[in-house]
Amino acid sequence: VCAAFTPRRRLCWLRQRSTMVIKVLSRRGARQVVLAILIWAGAAPAMSAADRLTGFITSVGEDSLEITTRPGTSRSIRTTGSTRYMKWVTHQPWQQATAADRTFLQVDRCVQVQLQSGEPSVARIIRINTDQPGSMVDPCRRLRAPRRAK
C-alpha cells in the first residue's frame, strides 16, 4: 500500500498497476497459446500425409493418372469432374498465376495430389509443377534419380 499522494506514491501506484497489467496479459497470452495449440492439434489430423502424395506423372489416362511416388513405386489416381487443378508454385516470382486445368497433366511433371476423404484413390486437388523436370527447383528431383552411395 502506498503512502500519501506524493511523487513516490504515484510511482508506487504505477508499479502496482503495471504489475497487474502484466499478470492479466500473461494470463490472456497463455490462454491464447493454449487455444492456438488446441486448434492446431485438431486441424493437423485433418490434413495428414496420408491424404496427400507427391510424385511425377508416368502416364495420363482419360480419367486417371499414374504417379511414381518413390523409385520403383507407383500409384494410380482417378480424377472426376470435381477434381480441381492448380499450378504448384515452388519458387519466385510468387505472384505468378496458379490457374491450371487438365491439359497441364503431362508425363514427367511433378504433382502433389490431395485425395478425397473416404476415397483413397480419387483426387480432390492436383497441384501441378511446371518447372523443368530434374532442375534445381523441381520438387520431385530426388525421386527421379537414384541416390548415390556415399
Side-chain angles (χ1 to χ4, degrees):
V1 178
C2 300
F5 192 74
T6 63
R8 281 190 177 173
R9 181 174 182 241
R10 188 175 303 147
L11 185 60
C12 179
W13 182 82
L14 287 172
R15 282 185 188 151
Q16 287 176 346
R17 290 290 178 190
S18 65
T19 303
M20 184 174 67
V21 168
I22 290 171
K23 286 180 183 176
V24 169
L25 287 177
S26 64
R27 285 186 200 141
R28 184 177 298 153
R31 285 186 209 134
Q32 289 174 345
V33 168
V34 169
L35 182 62
I37 290 171
L38 290 174
I39 289 172
W40 176 78
M47 185 61 177
S48 67
D51 296 339
R52 289 172 290 161
L53 57 106
T54 301
F56 59 93
I57 301 173
T58 53
S59 69
V60 180
E62 193 169 311
D63 64 345
S64 66
L65 55 137
E66 189 82 18
I67 299 172
T68 298
T69 55
R70 286 186 300 226
T73 305
S74 62
R75 186 148 171 204
S76 182
I77 302 296
R78 288 191 352 237
T79 58
T80 64
S82 62
T83 300
R84 291 181 26 218
Y85 302 92
M86 299 174 65
K87 186 175 173 186
W88 186 13
V89 180
T90 58
H91 60 85
Q92 293 182 356
W94 303 112
Q95 299 84 2
Q96 57 187 297
T98 59
D101 58 23
R102 186 166 173 74
T103 61
F104 279 61
L105 296 176
Q106 298 173 5
V107 173
D108 278 342
R109 283 218 168 139
C110 187
V111 293
Q112 182 183 62
V113 180
Q114 185 174 339
L115 303 170
Q116 287 186 3
S117 58
E119 297 188 51
S121 64
V122 177
R124 184 165 74 98
I125 299 172
I126 300 178
R127 292 174 182 83
I128 307 161
N129 186 273
T130 57
D131 295 317
Q132 182 70 29
S135 68
M136 289 299 290
V137 292
D138 178 15
C140 293
R141 186 171 55 117
R142 291 186 179 179
L143 297 175
R144 296 177 193 280
R147 294 190 179 178
R148 295 182 184 145
K150 291 183 179 181

